[in-house]
Amino acid sequence: MDFYKVGHKDIMKKKLLAIATSWLGIGGLLIRLRRLFKKEVIILAYHRILDTHDDESYLFDEELISANSDAFLWQINFLKKHYDVISFAELSQRLASNKPLTGRELIITFDDGFSDNYSNAYRLLDSVDIPAVFYISTGYIGADKTFWFNEVVHAIKVAKKLSFSIADTTYDFESSKKNKEKAIQLVLNQLKEIPNSERLNAIESLYRELDFKAYAIPASELPMTWENINEMASNNMEIGSHAVSHPILSRLTDEEMQQEIIDSKNTIETMTKKVCRTIAYPVGGRNAFTEKVQKISETAGYEYGLSYISGNNKANALNKYSLARLHVERYTSNEEFKLMLYLPEIF
């Protein structure tokens, strides 16, 4: 969830390189060479598949939108044609059988558990018959509230004044679109770096200072229900843990950490009657999970732990509790999507 750190110059360079690669027609060569010299397990990270037509009027976090429905359908059709799209259960079976991995293995993942994961992503995945793994924060599932980070963005976007304090730092901006974008970046980054109890208090304080009131939550911003998740789990989709309350795990006490990691797994297994074999660490950057987080995850019975660090994973040396993922964003064109798979190092 480090979307706000993406630089416009970097985006433009990638777009130009993607266009050049497409124009030269060397994508097929790049992928063959990569598979020849590098055997990797590719994991793609998505958050939301949502059709919004006007960013100006969208009052929640547009940076959580990975693609619209048309773009996602194109992407998964491309993946089905060129890759072996599998689940973590299938990956474990292949590793256990000592069957060599081919470099074609690819896993699609979704973080958080927004309702569009069911209504859009699952519907499209099911239509082309490929699996994906959905990481859910169990404390939100079926609840009449949106995720805390999405609500923070909403509170700033609708604020009439931008005067507030976070972690002993005071900000006072004129209420403009540009300043609201800056405030969102500052606030989310700071909330990720402070202890969990301070984060919860800081959010409450922020809402008071912004005079943020109770509001009608659009259905599109709600999480999935257990009914949604059970249908998905029964139809080729894997359900993984994204903790209970979507905290930054490294900012928790040892007791809180164990509760978030263990309780979420137990809840998923109780509700779905399926094994929950993987966890995606919320936020997932280098400061968001520690060796202790990884150890507790392993002890709790997870087979894999996923970061949000960009990259691929060496098939013959998987770091099972710190797996990297490639991020699909709403501004990723078809050409960039292919380039990300061909040359993930530049992403």
Side-chain angles (χ1 to χ4, degrees):
M1 291 208 350
D2 291 324
F3 306 111
Y4 294 97
K5 295 181 181 178
V6 177
H8 292 296
K9 288 184 178 179
D10 289 339
I11 292 172
M12 187 54 62
K13 288 178 182 177
K14 292 171 186 175
K15 285 185 181 297
L16 292 174
L17 183 56
I19 291 170
T21 304
S22 179
W23 183 77
L24 291 169
I26 59 173
L29 175 62
L30 289 174
I31 198 169
R32 287 193 296 273
L33 288 172
R34 189 166 196 92
R35 286 176 182 163
L36 180 63
F37 294 104
K38 292 189 175 185
K39 295 293 185 286
E40 300 167 309
V41 177
I42 302 168
I43 307 174
L44 298 184
Y46 291 83
H47 284 83
R48 307 190 63 183
I49 306 301
L50 197 61
D51 299 314
T52 59
H53 304 290
D54 181 6
D55 285 352
E56 294 290 333
S57 63
Y58 184 65
L59 296 178
F60 292 86
D61 192 353
E62 68 272 12
E63 299 301 335
L64 290 170
I65 302 171
S66 301
N68 61 35
S69 296
D70 288 342
F72 184 61
L73 182 58
W74 181 91
Q75 290 166 7
I76 58 179
N77 274 312
F78 178 85
L79 295 174
K80 184 172 184 178
K81 181 177 179 181
H82 297 282
Y83 291 86
D84 185 7
V85 183
I86 62 173
S87 64
F88 278 105
E90 174 64 22
L91 177 63
S92 291
Q93 289 174 6
R94 295 185 184 190
L95 292 173
S97 68
N98 293 319
K99 182 179 179 180
L101 300 181
T102 65
R104 290 180 58 91
E105 290 84 4
L106 183 143
I107 300 173
I108 297 170
T109 68
F110 279 84
D111 285 3
D112 300 332
F114 280 94
S115 59
D116 53 83
N117 284 190
Y118 172 79
S119 59
N120 292 335
Y122 164 63
R123 175 178 60 83
L124 293 169
L125 288 160
D126 187 49
S127 73
V128 299
D129 193 28
I130 57 175
V133 188
F134 291 83
Y135 291 101
I136 60 172
S137 292
T138 54
Y140 284 93
I141 300 305
D144 189 25
K145 60 182 178 180
T146 193
F147 296 88
W148 67 263
F149 42 88
N150 198 37
E151 186 170 75
V152 165
V153 173
H154 180 62
I156 295 171
K157 283 192 172 186
V158 300
K160 292 183 171 58
K161 62 185 181 89
L162 281 180
S163 179
F164 58 87
S165 300
I166 291 285
D168 298 325
T169 304
T170 300
Y171 300 98
D172 192 0
F173 297 114
E174 292 293 327
S175 185
S176 66
K177 181 178 182 295
K178 184 176 181 180
N179 283 339
K180 286 183 176 183
E181 290 174 351
K182 184 177 181 180
I184 288 168
Q185 179 179 351
L186 289 168
V187 169
L188 289 180
N189 286 343
Q190 285 194 270
L191 289 175
K192 295 172 189 176
E193 298 299 325
I194 58 180
N196 194 57
S197 59
E198 290 184 31
R199 175 180 66 82
L200 296 174
N201 291 334
I203 291 172
E204 288 186 11
S205 176
L206 175 70
Y207 290 170
R208 286 195 301 270
E209 293 182 60
L210 295 180
D211 196 27
F212 182 58
K213 307 293 186 182
Y215 63 102
I217 304 171
S220 62
E221 303 307 314
L222 291 173
M224 290 187 285
T225 66
W226 283 111
E227 183 180 8
N228 298 153
I229 289 165
N230 279 321
E231 179 184 336
M232 294 160 63
S234 298
N235 193 24
N236 209 29
M237 304 298 150
E238 207 170 272
I239 308 301
S241 167
H242 208 39
V244 176
S245 63
H246 201 291
I248 292 80
L249 292 170
S250 63
R251 306 304 177 198
L252 302 179
T253 65
D254 289 358
E255 183 179 355
E256 290 170 334
M257 196 183 295
Q258 291 205 31
Q259 181 180 357
E260 288 279 344
I261 292 170
I262 295 171
D263 286 5
S264 56
K265 186 179 195 297
N266 290 341
T267 298
I268 291 169
E269 293 181 341
T270 298
M271 296 300 291
T272 66
K273 306 297 189 292
K274 306 274 187 181
V275 175
C276 175
R277 65 182 71 247
T278 61
I279 182 170
Y281 312 120
V283 177
R286 296 187 187 280
N287 294 329
F289 67 101
T290 59
E291 288 186 13
K292 182 178 288 185
V293 170
Q294 295 177 62
K295 185 62 178 177
I296 292 174
S297 298
E298 183 178 7
T299 302
Y302 293 102
E303 294 179 32
Y304 304 95
L306 282 68
S307 75
Y308 201 71
I309 297 168
S310 183
N312 279 351
N313 305 280
K314 294 180 180 179
N316 61 351
L318 287 179
N319 190 342
K320 289 189 175 183
Y321 294 94
S322 184
L323 293 173
R325 295 188 281 176
L326 296 174
H327 313 155
V328 185
E329 315 289 9
R330 63 193 177 97
Y331 42 76
T332 304
S333 67
N334 293 350
E335 291 77 16
E336 289 172 284
F337 184 80
K338 290 187 284 188
L339 182 64
M340 177 175 66
L341 296 166
Y342 304 152
L343 295 172
E345 289 80 5
I346 69 171
F347 285 81

